[in-house]
Amino acid sequence: MSWVPSKEEYQLRILLNHRIRLAKIRTMLKNKIDAALIRNGIQSPLSDLFGVNERKYLEKVPLSETEQVVVCSSPKLLDFVQQEMNALEGDLFARAKTNPNVPLLMGIPGISVLSALTILAEIGGINRALAMNGS
């Protein structure tokens, strides 16, 4: 017999998948900036180009007009994506607080709140798993 997730578990899956996609977009935007610098032979002296102060460095880097568009617009998009991720994570953390299975899973070393939610969204509640094993 196949398990069909509840409406709540299905919605959690959708939200977690959306967060994954936002994280991919965030990585893509950072990679675009790095690629523009590499294409122009610029080695950044900074370890992280995406902090507030580091962005001032990006504005001063000598690039062509085309490359400057990419380097200046990507951080703005990055900020928007990060805001969306923060809001989504706030919702996910609120859901985690009301789920009694999350602390149980977080007792396993290396399992974060988001990992616990992902496990629950994919396999269902711990009680369901125990019932399947005949416990």
Side-chain angles (χ1 to χ4, degrees):
M1 175 186 250
S2 294
W3 170 70
V4 178
S6 69
K7 182 179 177 182
E8 182 179 305
E9 289 163 332
Y10 184 72
Q11 290 172 345
L12 184 59
R13 282 184 186 184
I14 291 170
L15 293 175
L16 289 163
N17 284 325
H18 184 57
R19 187 194 170 281
I20 290 167
R21 285 183 183 86
L22 289 174
K24 286 180 180 181
I25 293 168
R26 180 180 61 189
T27 300
M28 178 199 64
L29 290 167
K30 288 181 177 184
N31 288 344
K32 282 181 134 335
I33 294 169
D34 287 335
L37 296 178
I38 290 168
R39 279 192 301 270
N40 288 278
I42 297 170
Q43 177 85 23
S44 172
L46 307 167
S47 61
D48 178 21
L49 287 174
F50 307 104
V52 175
N53 292 330
E54 290 79 1
R55 290 181 185 197
K56 292 177 184 171
Y57 167 79
L58 289 175
E59 292 170 3
K60 296 176 185 175
V61 174
L63 295 170
S64 69
E65 185 178 332
T66 304
E67 295 283 26
Q68 197 64 41
V69 168
V70 172
V71 170
C72 287
S73 72
S74 293
K76 294 172 191 170
L77 294 170
L78 190 58
D79 288 342
F80 180 75
V81 169
Q82 190 61 54
Q83 285 177 330
E84 292 298 309
M85 283 186 71
N86 292 344
L88 180 57
E89 287 174 358
D91 178 55
L92 291 168
F93 289 133
R95 290 170 188 256
K97 286 181 183 178
T98 63
N99 189 322
N101 292 316
V102 170
L104 294 173
L105 287 169
M106 288 178 62
I108 301 170
I111 301 293
S112 67
V113 172
L114 293 173
S115 297
L117 286 172
T118 301
I119 292 168
L120 292 169
E122 294 300 325
I123 66 169
I126 293 171
N127 293 335
R128 185 188 81 79
L130 291 174
M132 288 181 64
N133 289 329
S135 299

